[in-house]
Amino acid sequence: ACVCVCVCVCLFSPAVPSGVICEFVFPPGDQQLVCLESIRASEGEDVTLRCHSDPKLHLDEQTVEVSRDDLPGRDNIVHLYRDRKDDFENQMTRYRDRTSLDPEDLTSGKVTLRICSVNESDSGRYVVFIPKLDIWCVINVTIKAKDPKNQTKSRDPTNVPPTSDDPGAEKKTDVRIIVGS
C-alpha cells in the first residue's frame, strides 16, 4: 500500500499562520486516474489516450504502463515509461515506432500517449496503470475500417462524372412546358 504526501505552503488559511508548511496525506484509494471511457477512430488516424491523476500528482518519477488487457498472454505492453524514460524492451512488436508518451505532461499529473496510424487490430481495452500508486483507468478503443467507397483517387477514371461525348453517359431529357392563354 502507498500513502501519497503532498506538501504545500498555506498562505490564505485563517486557521494556519502565514507561511506555515502543511501536509495533505492521501491514503491509498483516495487518488485515482480519470480518463475518457472510449475513443473511436478510423484506420490510418492517430489516436491519443489521455488521463489525469485526481488529485493532481507529479507522475514523472512514476512507472507508467499502458497495456492491452483484452489480449491473451502476458506480453501485452503497448508503452512503458520508467526511470524517467521510455522503455521499449518489452513493448509489443505491433506498437514499435508507433507510440509516444509526453513526459512533460507527467509533471502536471497527465498521461498522454499517442498511437500513430491505427488499424482495426488496435481496437481493444487499454489499461493505463501507475504501479507504485496502484491506480489505473481503462480506455476502450474502437477502430473502424476505411470505407472503400470513400477512398477516391484523383487519377482514377471511374471517379470522373460522365460527359455527353461518353457513350455510357446518362441520357438527359430537356422538358419544356409551354403554357398558353
Side-chain angles (χ1 to χ4, degrees):
C2 172
V3 174
C4 178
V5 177
C6 293
V7 178
C8 68
V9 176
C10 298
L11 297 175
F12 302 108
S13 173
V16 179
S18 178
V20 172
I21 295 178
C22 305
E23 287 186 359
F24 297 97
V25 178
F26 299 104
D30 281 1
Q31 63 268 6
Q32 61 181 343
L33 278 180
V34 179
C35 60
L36 288 176
E37 290 181 13
S38 63
I39 296 174
R40 295 184 186 277
S42 295
E43 277 187 318
E45 295 179 349
D46 294 351
V47 168
T48 303
L49 307 181
R50 289 186 176 94
C51 61
H52 65 275
S53 61
D54 183 27
K56 182 176 138 182
L57 304 169
H58 290 278
L59 300 175
D60 54 324
E61 293 183 15
Q62 300 291 330
T63 295
V64 177
E65 178 183 302
V66 180
S67 62
R68 293 272 306 269
D69 77 344
D70 60 321
L71 298 177
R74 298 180 58 93
D75 298 326
N76 58 359
I77 302 294
V78 174
H79 196 95
L80 183 62
Y81 177 89
R82 69 173 148 201
D83 300 324
R84 293 181 168 255
K85 62 184 183 214
D86 296 314
D87 180 350
F88 299 109
E89 186 175 326
N90 296 313
Q91 185 180 39
M92 293 171 54
T93 305
R94 72 167 85 173
Y95 291 100
R96 289 260 161 89
D97 301 321
R98 294 179 49 223
T99 63
S100 60
L101 186 94
D102 186 342
E104 290 181 21
D105 277 359
L106 294 173
T107 60
S108 60
K110 299 175 190 170
V111 176
T112 306
L113 179 73
R114 183 182 195 117
I115 304 172
C116 296
S117 191
V118 295
N119 53 61
E120 278 187 285
S121 66
D122 293 325
S123 292
R125 285 174 39 102
Y126 289 75
V127 178
V128 181
F129 180 50
I130 315 290
K132 197 171 187 180
L133 300 175
D134 196 29
I135 57 175
W136 68 90
C137 69
V138 176
I139 304 170
N140 291 304
V141 175
T142 304
I143 308 300
K144 71 175 191 172
K146 284 185 179 177
D147 183 1
K149 294 176 185 174
N150 290 338
Q151 295 178 6
T152 58
K153 296 179 183 173
S154 59
R155 298 178 190 253
D156 184 352
T158 61
N159 291 328
V160 177
T163 63
S164 60
D165 298 337
D166 188 356
E170 295 177 18
K171 302 275 184 197
K172 294 184 181 179
T173 306
D174 190 10
V175 176
R176 295 178 192 208
I177 300 175
I178 301 173
V179 178
S181 46

